[in-house]
Amino acid sequence: MKSLASWFHRRGWRDLIIGIPYLWLIVFFLIPFLIVVAMSLATRTPTAPPFGYGGANPILNFEGYARLFTETLYIRAFITSLMNAAVATVICLIIGYPMALGLTRVSKSWRNILLMLVILPFWTSFLLRVYAWMGMMGRNSWFNGLLTDIWNLLTPQSYALTSIPMMNSNFAVVLVMVYCYLPFMILPLYANLERLDPVLDEAAMDLGSRPFQVFRDVTLPQSIPGIIAGAMLVFIPAAGELVIPALVGNPSSPMIGRIISDEFAQVRDWPMASTVAVALLILMVGPTMLYSRYQQKAEGRAEERP
Amino acid sequence: MTRRPVFLITVMCFGFAFFYIPILSMIIYSFNESRLVTVWGGFSTKWYVSLFSNRQVGAALWLSLQIALISASVATVLGAMAGITLARFRKFRGRTAFSGMVTAPLIMPEVITGISLLIFFTLLANWIGWPGQRGFTTITLAHITFSMVFVTTVVHSRMIQMDRSIEEAAMDLGSRPWQVLKDVTLPVISPALLSGWLLAFTISLDDVVITTFVMGPGSTTLPLLIWSKVKLGVTPDINALATLIVVIVGICVAIAGWLMSRAERRRLAEERLAYRANG
């Protein structure tokens, strides 16, 4: 018993602290993930569980990956996902940037309240935020009615509508994505902009720059790490989104998350579902690398400071 | 800067309107008499009554709270260990792999996490007969796994900012590394542990996608119940439920904010006092 205690004091505590989370992540993250990768190279069989290796096909079956590039279902789903995510990211940036910049300009007490208001929707349910827009966009809702009235006022009689068909469209998907992910854009941008030195702005002003020029030449270049961080935090979850398109999206142009879950649960083609999943991850690798490179740079800079 | 940033303030007004108008609209329509959620039929609280008499909602909430409580607590322990590992143990075999495994779940699309865990549990059940039935256990294990990495991030960033000289002082005074960790490091990072726990708790309470994959018969959590109703369209009792959630969360966040600002003020006041006493 005593030797156990001394082992623990010498190095055991360290090994335990490293070992326990390490083991947990290997069992519940790494192994399941490797199984998916292996599954993507298996062959679908009518057994339970519905996959196997070998048989009529060679041991590793790359047919799934070939199907990704030949079947329009998958190509269209990838294009729809990337487009929706990209448009949502750009809109989040256009709205989020001035909001983050505005947050750095208001007084300290206002700033805390407004920051809390940005974060508050986060702590409520994601599902209910999507649901709130289902109520807003429906055919008979006051919001739809308001937009319809504005539309009818602005356009000639022949274009008059009784309601605007917003639900079940890519427009609705992008709108709700912007709504749900806007805080992810604002917060890293705010963290970045808040650290900038206002002296630089004032110097540029004193040297005769107009406010817009100051923004373009001084503020914007310094905030690129914040822009990249925010854009990644919006783009990555948006591209793999499952809930939003299921509730407000167009069922006839599914996004990639839906394809994965349908292949898995409805078609029961586990290998193909895994193939699509691996392909989605490969697409995510590029943006993630970009993001982590900028993060490391930012961290390195933070450590350099006294 | 003398000029008021009119443009920025305008965008902020629009932004906050965008954030809160849908929520306000949802709250207002939860008091609607009419079954048609989009037509105002007068004020009524009948949807709240029907909500409170709904056994399903109560059972689902209870299940969700249990899962969130257990998974947040385990995730905080595991996540803190991982955060300490990343911040303090610079060199050990497999460090790169470890930091990769801690970051990867953060950016993994939820569908893929869900599917990989479901395949894993299914194969495991085939090979060793466990888990016999998916439900409470599998949901909790899944929630622990994807929320612990959030705790790790919070703890890690707190430990990087922490003043290491107190740890070194304790070492110089003869504490063993383990005692330093227990008596010095853990108390210092306790706010990070608390916010990590809260984050893990909310993530667990809110999760739909991963839970739909690893759930089993009879394990309907509150988000899954809402999900199954919402898929069919807008219903007034969901509006009532949403209103309750928003109100409860709003009160909690406001209280937390008030407590935090009070603690901050007190700390500043104490620092000033100490300063004066010494100077």
Side-chain angles (χ1 to χ4, degrees):
Chain A
M1 207 52 218
K2 198 156 186 202
S3 66
L4 189 71
S6 85
W7 169 81
F8 178 78
H9 279 304
R10 238 180 318 113
R11 52 168 304 162
W13 64 279
R14 185 175 181 272
D15 288 357
L16 280 180
I17 286 177
I18 299 175
I20 294 172
Y22 210 134
L23 200 66
W24 185 283
L25 285 171
I26 287 179
V27 172
F28 290 107
F29 178 74
L30 189 63
I31 292 180
F33 174 68
L34 291 179
I35 292 176
V36 168
V37 175
M39 182 76 69
S40 74
L41 298 167
T43 307
R44 184 187 175 196
T45 61
T47 55
F51 73 99
Y53 292 92
N57 285 291
I59 297 172
L60 293 183
N61 186 349
F62 289 94
E63 199 190 311
Y65 287 94
R67 278 172 70 192
L68 281 184
F69 294 99
T70 49
E71 287 183 25
T72 42
L73 175 72
Y74 304 117
I75 300 172
R76 278 188 57 191
F78 271 109
I79 292 174
T80 311
S81 298
L82 295 181
M83 282 292 286
N84 283 348
V87 174
T89 308
V90 171
I91 297 175
C92 277
L93 184 62
I94 293 172
I95 306 175
Y97 199 105
M99 284 185 77
L101 197 58
L103 280 171
T104 65
R105 298 285 160 82
V106 295
S107 70
K108 181 99 185 170
S109 51
W110 266 103
R111 195 186 291 184
N112 286 341
I113 294 171
L114 292 178
L115 268 177
M116 201 143 91
L117 285 176
V118 172
I119 303 170
L120 186 65
F122 247 164
W123 294 91
T124 68
S125 155
F126 177 81
L127 205 51
L128 291 178
R129 277 179 284 155
V130 183
Y131 174 77
W133 273 103
M134 292 172 69
M136 295 275 283
M137 287 189 295
R139 274 180 188 287
N140 305 313
S141 74
W142 66 267
F143 181 70
N144 198 328
L146 184 73
L147 288 188
T148 312
D149 288 346
I150 295 172
W151 169 266
N152 288 344
L153 211 66
L154 295 179
T155 54
Q157 200 92 64
S158 52
Y159 288 100
L161 293 170
T162 49
S163 69
I164 297 174
M166 283 191 278
M167 276 291 276
N168 303 322
S169 65
N170 282 328
F171 167 79
V173 172
V174 171
L175 176 69
V176 179
M177 277 179 178
V178 171
Y179 183 70
C180 290
Y181 294 127
L182 190 53
F184 288 102
M185 179 64 88
I186 294 178
L187 294 175
L189 266 176
Y190 168 75
N192 177 283
L193 290 169
E194 196 217 359
R195 281 201 301 260
L196 300 187
D197 194 348
V199 172
L200 282 176
D201 281 21
E202 280 157 27
M205 288 283 225
D206 292 346
L207 293 171
S209 290
R210 300 229 183 104
F212 180 73
Q213 288 174 321
V214 176
F215 169 74
R216 193 191 56 195
D217 299 335
V218 181
T219 313
L220 189 61
Q222 292 187 84
S223 62
I224 284 176
I227 294 177
I228 289 182
M232 287 311 107
L233 290 179
V234 175
F235 183 81
I236 290 176
E241 186 56 56
L242 185 64
V243 170
I244 297 174
L247 292 180
V248 302
N250 179 356
S252 62
S253 72
M255 284 178 56
I256 210 68
R258 169 74 185 289
I259 296 280
I260 296 175
S261 107
D262 278 1
E263 286 286 349
F264 189 85
Q266 253 93 58
V267 190
R268 282 191 66 75
D269 190 342
W270 289 15
M272 195 60 209
S274 307
T275 308
V276 181
V278 172
L280 176 61
L281 274 181
I282 292 172
L283 278 180
M284 296 290 140
V285 167
T288 310
M289 297 289 250
L290 191 72
Y291 170 63
S292 66
R293 219 189 60 194
Y294 267 94
Q295 281 303 95
Q296 269 162 12
K297 255 195 211 167
E299 267 173 34
R301 229 175 288 144
E303 273 173 24
E304 272 167 31
R305 265 188 228 149
Chain B
M1 225 157 279
T2 47
R3 257 165 40 89
R4 289 188 71 78
V6 180
F7 170 71
L8 295 181
I9 288 174
T10 319
V11 176
M12 274 166 82
C13 290
F14 272 107
F16 283 107
F18 175 61
F19 272 137
Y20 284 96
I21 284 177
I23 293 177
L24 279 180
S25 166
M26 189 163 70
I27 292 175
I28 291 169
Y29 275 96
S30 75
F31 294 105
N32 188 3
E33 168 75 35
S34 163
R35 181 153 237 335
L36 294 166
V37 277
T38 48
V39 183
W40 185 254
F43 180 87
S44 150
T45 51
K46 67 176 180 188
W47 303 115
Y48 289 89
V49 177
S50 89
L51 188 68
F52 281 113
S53 56
N54 189 337
R55 285 269 175 90
Q56 263 187 319
V57 174
L61 176 65
W62 175 231
L63 182 71
S64 280
L65 286 176
Q66 281 174 296
I67 291 175
L69 211 62
I70 297 174
S71 66
S73 307
V74 180
T76 304
V77 174
L78 289 172
M81 286 175 161
I84 291 168
T85 301
L86 284 180
R88 288 294 178 267
F89 305 141
R90 289 268 162 207
K91 278 191 190 127
F92 62 91
R93 216 181 301 158
R95 189 188 148 90
T96 320
F98 186 73
S99 62
M101 279 198 298
V102 168
T103 334
L106 290 172
I107 51 158
M108 184 89 108
E110 283 184 307
V111 200
I112 301 180
T113 312
I115 277 200
S116 67
L117 280 169
L118 174 53
I119 294 178
F120 173 69
F121 287 136
T122 316
L123 294 184
L124 215 57
N126 262 22
W127 291 332
I128 63 169
W130 181 91
Q133 190 166 28
R134 286 190 297 278
F136 189 89
T137 318
T138 48
I139 296 175
T140 311
L141 288 173
H143 284 196
I144 292 170
T145 308
F146 73 82
S147 55
M148 71 171 272
V149 292
F150 287 91
V151 182
T152 305
T153 317
V154 175
V155 171
H156 182 206
S157 65
R158 178 79 187 94
M159 287 195 67
I160 287 179
Q161 287 164 15
M162 177 183 165
D163 186 0
R164 287 197 67 174
S165 57
I166 3 174
E167 285 178 349
E168 280 155 16
M171 289 276 228
D172 291 345
L173 293 171
S175 291
R176 294 168 193 274
W178 157 251
Q179 288 172 320
V180 175
L181 181 74
K182 186 165 59 86
D183 299 334
V184 179
T185 314
L186 281 183
V188 173
I189 62 168
S190 61
L193 294 180
L194 180 65
S195 52
W197 188 89
L198 279 175
L199 192 59
F201 186 79
T202 6
I203 291 173
S204 165
L205 211 54
D206 195 25
D207 179 69
V208 187
V209 177
I210 295 172
T211 314
T212 50
F213 284 105
V214 296
M215 71 173 285
S219 63
T220 309
T221 60
L222 189 62
L224 286 188
L225 184 73
I226 300 176
W227 170 241
S228 64
K229 283 195 160 210
V230 163
K231 268 198 287 194
L232 304 175
V234 182
T235 57
D237 48 342
I238 293 290
N239 278 4
L241 182 60
T243 304
L244 286 179
I245 291 178
V246 170
V247 168
I248 292 170
V249 168
I251 290 173
C252 291
V253 169
I255 290 176
W258 179 70
L259 285 178
M260 259 153 54
S261 72
R262 202 182 58 162
E264 178 76 11
R265 269 203 306 274
R266 189 172 291 171
R267 197 177 61 81
L268 284 177
E270 274 168 11
E271 265 175 21
R272 234 174 298 151
L273 268 181
Y275 212 70
R276 245 180 251 153
N278 290 334

